[in-house]
Amino acid sequence: MKTRDKILFYLMDHPSATNAEIASECEASEQNIKTTIHRLKSKGYIDVKNQGSNREIEVLEEPTNSVGIDKKERYNNQLDFLEDIMFSDADPKYRLEASAQHIRVLNKL
């Protein structure tokens, strides 16, 4: 998941978080957080109200990429399907192709 999305998800639950808190939660530097918040504000993803300890950040556009579970789950389903073919009584050329595809999918993970 991109740092930008991590920040947006965190801010949805913690609108008054400091840059240090966000940096700690998102495993990024405070400077990176400061720069990203500035970019998110200029692109209209967030609205920053007040400054300093009274700062409140409202997320205007939710992140599109949640946790990437869908992609990982899709790869796992594909791997299961290919393994079924590899160890079946299918024609050997199909089993060989399934093995090659299995390796390609594993390399993407």
Side-chain angles (χ1 to χ4, degrees), residues 63-98:
T64 55
N65 181 9
S66 55
V67 183
I69 294 173
D70 296 328
K71 186 175 183 180
K72 185 175 182 180
E73 187 175 337
R74 189 173 67 239
Y75 279 138
N76 285 331
N77 290 341
Q78 188 175 10
L79 287 171
D80 291 342
F81 174 74
L82 292 170
E83 285 176 0
D84 288 344
I85 293 173
M86 287 173 10
F87 300 110
S88 71
D89 292 335
D91 186 340
K93 72 176 183 179
Y94 294 122
R95 292 190 323 208
L96 185 61
E97 179 58 31

Side-chain angles (χ1 to χ4, degrees), residues 11 26 29 33 36-37 40 47 70 75 92-94 97 108:
L11 287 173
C26 298
S29 69
I33 298 301
T36 304
I37 287 176
L40 289 170
D47 181 35
D70 296 328
Y75 279 138
K93 72 176 183 179
Y94 294 122
E97 179 58 31
K108 289 184 178 183

Side-chain angles (χ1 to χ4, degrees), residues 3-4 6 9 11 13 16 18 27 31 38-39 42 44 49 52 55-56 60 67-68 72 81 84 87 89-91 105:
T3 302
R4 178 194 72 159
K6 288 181 185 179
F9 278 119
L11 287 173
D13 294 330
S16 59
T18 65
E27 299 175 350
Q31 183 59 41
H38 177 74
R39 287 180 183 155
S42 67
K49 298 174 184 156
R55 179 179 80 173
E56 291 283 326
L60 303 173
V67 183
K72 185 175 182 180
F81 174 74
D84 288 344
F87 300 110
D89 292 335
D91 186 340
V105 171

